[in-house]
Structure formats: C-alpha cells, structure tokens
Amino acid sequence: MTQPSVILATASYDHTIRFWEAKSGRCYRTIQYPDSQVNRLEITPDKRYLAAAGNPHIRLFDINSSSPQPVMSYDSHTNNVMAVGFQCDGKWMYSGSEDGTVKIWDLR
C-alpha cells in the first residue's frame, strides 16, 4: 500500500494510535500502545517519525513502517509526559512531565 500524501494521527486513553488518510477519512494503520494512555502526539519536521507521550515515557514510531514496535524509547521521566515536540530541523526533541521536569533529547 502506498503512503497517503496527508496523514493524521490520533490517540487516546484506549491505548491505541491510529493513522488516517486525510482525504478519504480511512484509518489505514493501528498501533497498540499497552504501556499507558497516550497523552500527546507529535510528528517530526521531516514527517518520518511520530512521538507518543505516555506515562512515564515517550515512544518514537516510524510512520512509514508497518512494524508496531517503537524505533526508540525515552524513559527518564517519572510521571505523565504531557508535552512533546521537536526543534525545527528535527535534531532535538523536548518533553515536559507532571514530575516537574522538562527534558531536551538529542535525536542525532
């Protein structure tokens, strides 16, 4: 199956991440996220990866892969991760947690 040109990603407390084809509204991929609820999603600037913030970690998924496994996991927060984002060129990821910390992650 070819990759849709416009992708939407959704997640919630149902422990799933869903990828949607924006033009048709069709869900074309679902990833189970059994570790926790998903608090926040963010796509990298190059549109290759999706960061999913949970409790107390962040999982990075390859958008173009059919694998349900994350390519990387960031686990040093000790409570719900409520914010995640990327620097404009994608070299750094930031996160904020209910543990009272903000972290900067080197993705290179």
Side-chain angles (χ1 to χ4, degrees):
M1 180 171 117
T2 61
Q3 181 75 20
S5 60
V6 178
I7 299 169
L8 300 174
T10 61
S12 73
Y13 278 50
D14 71 355
H15 298 264
T16 61
I17 298 169
R18 298 181 196 280
F19 293 90
W20 303 84
E21 185 178 84
K23 193 171 190 176
S24 70
R26 182 180 63 85
C27 177
Y28 71 92
R29 180 178 173 201
T30 300
I31 298 173
Q32 297 301 315
Y33 196 87
D35 299 335
S36 77
Q37 77 281 354
V38 179
N39 298 319
R40 175 102 167 109
L41 296 174
E42 188 71 29
I43 296 175
T44 57
D46 63 7
K47 307 210 181 343
R48 290 183 58 207
Y49 299 102
L50 174 80
N55 184 8
H57 49 257
I58 303 161
R59 305 281 191 248
L60 199 64
F61 294 93
D62 186 335
I63 290 176
N64 298 311
S65 171
S66 60
S67 172
Q69 300 303 314
V71 294
M72 185 63 82
S73 182
Y74 302 90
D75 297 311
S76 71
H77 284 293
T78 60
N79 207 332
N80 267 323
V81 180
M82 300 303 290
V84 65
F86 296 94
Q87 176 233 4
C88 62
D89 67 4
K91 293 180 183 174
W92 307 92
M93 178 175 69
Y94 60 85
S95 60
S97 169
E98 289 179 343
D99 64 14
T101 64
V102 173
K103 298 190 183 282
I104 305 293
W105 308 87
D106 187 347
L107 302 179
R108 295 174 290 174

